[in-house]
Amino acid sequence: MSKANDIKVKELKPVFTPEQIAARIQELAAEINAEYGDEPMVAVCVLKGGFMFFSDLVRFLHNKNLELDFVRLSSYGKGSSSSKHVIFSKDVEIDICGKHVLIVEDIVDSGHSMRFLLGQFAARKARSLRLAALVDKDERREVDVKVDFAGFKLNQGFIVGYGLDYAEHYRMLPGVFEVIPE
Ligand code: 5GP
Ligand code: MG
Ligand code: MG
C-alpha cells in the first residue's frame, strides 16, 4: 500500500473545472428530480469524500419529502490505494424503512465500499436503493456495483479536490485534479 508520505506530489493537473462540475450537477439533479418526484426519500452522503458533491447536489433537488443523512466509511491506509477492508464508523440516524434511499458517494472504483454499504442497507426495507457518484471508475470494478447517477466516467489516475483527498489534503479545492507524482 502506498503511503502518502512515500509519494511527493509534483503537480496537480486539472481534470474537471468547478464550472464543468456545476453544469453536470444540474443535469444529474434534473434526472433525480424526474425519477423521485415528491416520494419520501433520504439522500445519504458518504463522508468524507462525498461532502462537497452532496452539498452542491442536494440544493438542486426539489423533492418536498427529502431528508438528508450521513454515513462515514473509510478504508485502511492513508494513501492512494483502495482497500477491501471497509470501516463503517457512522451510520444514518434516520429510519430508511419505506423510503427511497439515494447514496451519494465521491468515487466508485473497485466497488467494495459500495457493495458493503448497499449490503448494510439492504435489510432495512428501503423502498428503493440507488447510488449517485461524482466519478464512476466503471472499468475498474472488482465486484458488481452499478452507479445509477454518474457525474463523470474516468478510469485513469488518482484524483483529488472537490471533497477528494490524498492523505486528507486537497479536499477543499473547488475543482478536480489528477495527482502527478515526482
Ligand atoms: P472502492 O474501490 O471501494 O470502490 O472505492 C473506495 C474509495 O476509494 C472511494 O470511495 C474513494 O473515496 C477512494 N478512491 C478511489 N479512487 C480514488 C481517487 O482517484 N482519488 C481519491 N482521492 N480517492 C479515490
Ligand atoms: Mg468514498
Ligand atoms: Mg480517501
Side-chain angles (χ1 to χ4, degrees), residues 31-92:
E31 274 183 57
I32 294 166
N33 287 328
E35 183 74 31
Y36 296 98
D38 285 327
E39 291 175 8
M41 173 180 179
V42 185
V44 177
C45 173
V46 182
L47 296 170
K48 298 180 187 174
F51 87 94
M52 213 179 271
F53 176 45
F54 184 78
S55 69
D56 283 346
L57 180 68
V58 297
R59 68 188 84 192
F60 296 107
L61 300 184
H62 304 318
N63 188 328
K64 292 189 182 71
N65 292 300
L66 177 65
E67 297 171 284
L68 306 183
D69 211 337
F70 301 83
V71 296
R72 166 91 170 107
L73 294 184
S74 52
S75 44
Y76 294 125
K78 293 183 173 2
S80 60
S81 59
S82 277
S83 166
K84 290 181 192 180
H85 307 281
V86 181
I87 303 166
F88 187 25
S89 54
K90 189 209 172 301
D91 202 343
V92 289

Side-chain angles (χ1 to χ4, degrees), residues 46-50 73 105-107 113-114 164:
V46 182
L47 296 170
K48 298 180 187 174
L73 294 184
E105 165 70 312
D106 54 2
I107 301 182
S113 308
M114 282 307 100
L164 297 160

Side-chain angles (χ1 to χ4, degrees), residues 3 6 55 62 83 95 97 109 142 147 149:
K3 288 269 163 51
D6 300 345
S55 69
H62 304 318
S83 166
D95 183 6
C97 180
D109 184 12
E142 293 172 14
V147 177
F149 305 97

Side-chain angles (χ1 to χ4, degrees), residues 5-36:
N5 296 342
D6 300 345
I7 298 176
K8 289 231 158 57
V9 176
K10 179 179 162 209
E11 186 194 332
L12 293 180
K13 187 177 143 203
V15 178
F16 305 120
T17 65
E19 293 74 21
Q20 286 173 311
I21 296 167
R24 186 66 190 120
I25 283 178
Q26 294 284 338
E27 295 173 346
L28 286 179
E31 274 183 57
I32 294 166
N33 287 328
E35 183 74 31
Y36 296 98

